[in-house]
Amino acid sequence: YPPVNEVDNTSSSRIQKKQKQVVSLGRFSPDKRQLEQIEIASLLPDFQFYLVGFINNQSYYKKCEEIIASKGLKNVFLVGNASAEERKRLLDESEYFIHNLRNEPFGITSVQAIASGCYPIVHNSGGQKEMIENKAQRFDSLREAVECFHLAERLNSDQKKHEIQAMTNTLSSYSALKFQKDFKELIQKMLFQA
């Protein structure tokens, strides 16, 4: 895995009762599927959704705005070109994180979200399946995504804290220090086999 500099799993204060909101991180582009996130948000009107990302594709971003307006959604907010501070604030205050890119090899944003104490709901493909082991947090369809949120809401505070802490404890596997150590071992092994 690539190194993730933002991994800090030492702060248990991040695992706390947060606002009933969902954050996603990813450049605004069709492959990041913000339109699908908007559809999920339309089925979960009691949740606030913050879709955060670099405006990579102006026409796609505009389409997202238009869909939100046409559906009259009051629970979806696009946060284009957010500063690092704003991204961190939204991660820290959000209870949930959604990631629905298909077959992404890794997913640094999921690691960042877990490190911030968010409960991740992710697509059941690619590296997300390895990072998020609990099948109740993975989905294959819009209907399943909505059900993941309903299941998560049924967890009591202690259960959710326990699950987030368990995921947080695995984050050191993705740290820059772990990457450097593994990379050094790999290079040494290759050099000595030659």
Side-chain angles (χ1 to χ4, degrees), residues 50-69:
Y50 289 85
L51 312 186
V52 181
F54 172 69
I55 302 175
N56 186 52
N57 182 325
Q58 189 66 43
S59 63
Y60 182 75
Y61 183 82
K62 190 82 166 151
K63 186 173 183 178
C64 290
E65 289 180 318
E66 290 167 358
I67 295 292
I68 291 167

Side-chain angles (χ1 to χ4, degrees), residues 15 17 27 31 61 63 68-70 91 109 118 122 134 149 153 156 161 164 167 188 193:
I15 301 171
K17 180 65 177 150
R27 72 188 184 295
D31 64 318
Y61 183 82
K63 186 173 183 178
I68 291 167
S70 71
L91 280 169
T109 58
C118 295
V122 301
N134 183 353
F149 283 101
E153 280 293 289
N156 68 41
K161 284 179 185 178
I164 293 170
M167 288 182 281
Q188 287 176 337
Q193 285 182 354

Side-chain angles (χ1 to χ4, degrees), residues 2-117:
V4 182
N5 293 325
E6 293 84 357
V7 170
D8 171 16
N9 62 353
T10 61
S11 176
S12 61
S13 65
R14 290 184 175 183
I15 301 171
Q16 57 190 339
K17 180 65 177 150
K18 297 182 171 201
Q19 296 182 40
K20 190 174 176 178
Q21 65 189 38
V22 181
V23 66
S24 74
L25 300 174
R27 72 188 184 295
F28 283 91
S29 176
D31 64 318
K32 294 294 186 179
R33 298 179 172 265
Q34 284 92 353
L35 287 175
E36 184 177 86
Q37 293 171 6
I38 292 167
E39 185 64 30
I40 291 167
S42 74
L43 300 170
L44 294 166
D46 294 338
F47 292 77
Q48 302 293 306
F49 279 73
Y50 289 85
L51 312 186
V52 181
F54 172 69
I55 302 175
N56 186 52
N57 182 325
Q58 189 66 43
S59 63
Y60 182 75
Y61 183 82
K62 190 82 166 151
K63 186 173 183 178
C64 290
E65 289 180 318
E66 290 167 358
I67 295 292
I68 291 167
S70 71
K71 290 180 175 273
L73 298 176
K74 303 292 185 211
N75 66 324
V76 183
F77 307 93
L78 302 182
V79 187
N81 299 328
S83 67
E85 293 80 20
E86 189 170 16
R87 284 191 312 269
K88 182 183 179 331
R89 179 186 60 77
L90 286 167
L91 280 169
D92 286 347
E93 71 183 24
S94 296
E95 187 169 3
Y96 298 100
F97 172 77
I98 188 168
H99 187 284
N100 56 328
L101 177 66
R102 292 348 185 225
N103 294 310
E104 185 168 36
F106 178 49
I108 288 175
T109 58
S110 294
V111 173
Q112 293 169 330
I114 294 166
S116 293

Side-chain angles (χ1 to χ4, degrees), residues 127-139:
Q128 301 299 324
K129 288 172 69 170
E130 189 173 333
M131 288 174 38
I132 311 300
E133 295 179 5
N134 183 353
K135 290 181 183 179
Q137 293 174 256
R138 300 192 316 247
F139 63 90

